[in-house]
Amino acid sequence: MLFRSGLNPDDPSLVRAKAELLREYGPRVRFDIDHRKVKKADRQAIARLSGETLAGGSIAGFALEGNDLDTPLVRRPNGALQGFDGKRFRGEGYVSLDHEKGGITRLSLIGGTGIVGAGIRHTRPFADGTLRLAAIAQDPYWDVVDGLVNEARTDRVQAGYERILGTNWRIAGRLAAGRYGIEGRSDVAQFIGPGFELAYTAYQGPPSITFAYGLDAEYLGGRKVAADAFGAEYPLLSVVSREVHSGTVGVSGTFSALTRYNLYGGYAYDRLNSDGPFFGAELVYEPYTSFELGLVASHSLTASRGTDSTVTRLGGYFLWRF
């Protein structure tokens, strides 16, 4: 919107602002690869290709993701416990519409293995913060293994608000509600999910040092069960209620003009399930403004599964701006 106004396009501050906007929202292609191993359970190899480009006054984009899953045991909808070694795919195509007052509306078409859905997201900045609203139908749900294998999906609405307080504080809250489904069953559980984050940057740096408290909760209701051949009941989808409180310390900075890093660690306490430490690191190398290469690693609880299992993640990405 800035560049369609009557401002002087040669003003140095506007030139810099335009360069930053093009860097952030300009045409790009990104490829991510991710290997995840859950202790004494499944292994996942995930590849994701995404991209965006300017289309007049809008942004058009896509994301394609494939997951190669190997798990020794998973519950199928008929109650059978089986191993699974196979692939699942999902993708999204979207258009982001820019509004005169600064808001952005994103319209999405979503697809997955056996799933077709859609979504609408709206972001609106205000003088004291940013409002985010969304309504999404038939979104593939891969956070639990049987969800990935049995073509699980979610329908949900959500709202969130984020505000920067001064130069050091950030506060954010959200609330989501919806339902889970699987192949052949549109409603196997309902949920309501509040979230909250409070972050304080103690040192602006570089390096910058940030302390944060977070709440990530989801409370289930109407959970559907079935019975196997022996009469034992089992849930049609292995989602569980959670209430995760976490404390995090993050450090970010640069090793050189071409290399930057982000380190974090903390402790997560799930009041309804288990607790444990988490930590991670990201290293980014940017030899040119048009090219970026990153390496990521992390270790944490598998909170969405409601167990004390941990997941170790190793991955990387490259980003090309053009």
Side-chain angles (χ1 to χ4, degrees):
M1 305 311 297
L2 174 65
F3 312 117
R4 296 198 296 268
S5 68
L7 298 175
N8 179 7
D10 297 323
D11 186 302
S13 63
L14 295 185
V15 172
R16 287 192 297 271
K18 181 177 180 180
E20 287 298 320
L21 287 172
L22 288 175
R23 174 183 170 81
E24 184 70 22
Y25 300 106
R28 68 186 59 208
V29 172
R30 174 167 169 156
F31 179 72
D32 296 75
I33 189 164
D34 205 354
H35 182 274
R36 301 178 186 179
K37 179 68 177 72
V38 177
K39 186 177 180 180
K40 298 181 180 180
D42 54 280
R43 173 204 56 79
Q44 299 182 38
I46 303 168
R48 178 182 174 88
L49 178 66
S50 59
E52 286 188 343
T53 188
L54 299 173
S58 305
I59 295 175
F62 74 95
L64 302 172
E65 185 173 332
N67 189 315
D68 185 353
L69 170 68
D70 182 8
T71 181
L73 212 61
V74 63
R75 176 85 67 178
R76 303 308 298 264
N78 62 5
L81 287 169
Q82 303 171 342
F84 181 85
D85 186 357
K87 298 177 176 63
R88 291 289 186 264
F89 300 94
R90 61 183 175 184
E92 178 185 11
Y94 60 87
V95 175
S96 295
L97 307 175
D98 191 3
H99 302 293
E100 290 289 341
K101 293 186 178 180
I104 298 175
T105 300
R106 174 166 157 173
L107 306 174
S108 302
L109 182 63
I110 304 166
T113 305
I115 304 170
V116 177
I120 179 170
R121 299 174 174 87
H122 181 72
T123 303
R124 174 70 184 276
F126 292 92
D128 61 352
T130 302
L131 174 68
R132 294 181 175 87
L133 304 171
I136 304 169
Q138 298 294 286
D139 189 16
Y141 180 73
W142 287 4
D143 285 3
V144 293
V145 171
D146 57 327
L148 197 159
V149 174
N150 299 330
E151 301 176 13
R153 68 288 310 268
T154 66
D155 302 322
R156 67 185 184 275
V157 293
Q158 56 192 50
Y161 194 80
E162 179 179 335
R163 183 174 180 179
I164 305 298
L165 303 174
T167 58
N168 298 86
W169 291 90
R170 182 177 67 86
I171 186 169
R174 70 176 189 277
L175 182 64
R179 64 181 183 177
Y180 293 105
I182 59 173
E183 181 184 11
R185 298 285 297 269
S186 61
D187 187 351
V188 298
Q190 297 94 46
F191 66 88
I192 183 167
F196 175 80
E197 184 179 10
L198 179 65
Y200 172 70
T201 301
Y203 185 67
Q204 297 288 348
S208 65
I209 302 174
T210 301
F211 299 89
Y213 162 77
L215 167 67
D216 175 29
E218 186 170 282
Y219 306 105
L220 297 182
R223 198 177 186 204
K224 305 297 191 300
V225 299
D228 62 20
F230 301 98
E233 290 189 340
Y234 62 91
L236 290 173
L237 185 64
S238 63
V239 288
V240 296
S241 295
R242 67 179 186 272
E243 185 184 299
V244 183
H245 302 262
S246 62
T248 308
V249 179
V251 179
S252 60
T254 59
F255 289 125
S256 69
L258 305 179
T259 309
R260 62 183 185 272
Y261 65 89
N262 180 41
L263 307 172
Y264 66 89
Y267 199 86
Y269 168 69
D270 187 342
R271 188 180 65 85
L272 304 178
N273 300 290
S274 57
D275 60 277
F278 62 88
F279 49 87
E282 180 181 24
L283 179 65
V284 178
Y285 177 60
E286 189 176 357
Y288 310 100
T289 56
S290 60
F291 181 78
E292 184 177 305
L293 180 67
L295 299 175
V296 294
S298 66
H299 180 81
S300 64
L301 289 171
T302 54
S304 61
R305 304 188 186 189
T307 68
D308 58 0
S309 295
T310 58
V311 56
T312 300
R313 174 192 174 201
L314 296 172
Y317 71 89
F318 72 79
L319 173 65
W320 178 40
R321 303 180 181 92
F322 55 93

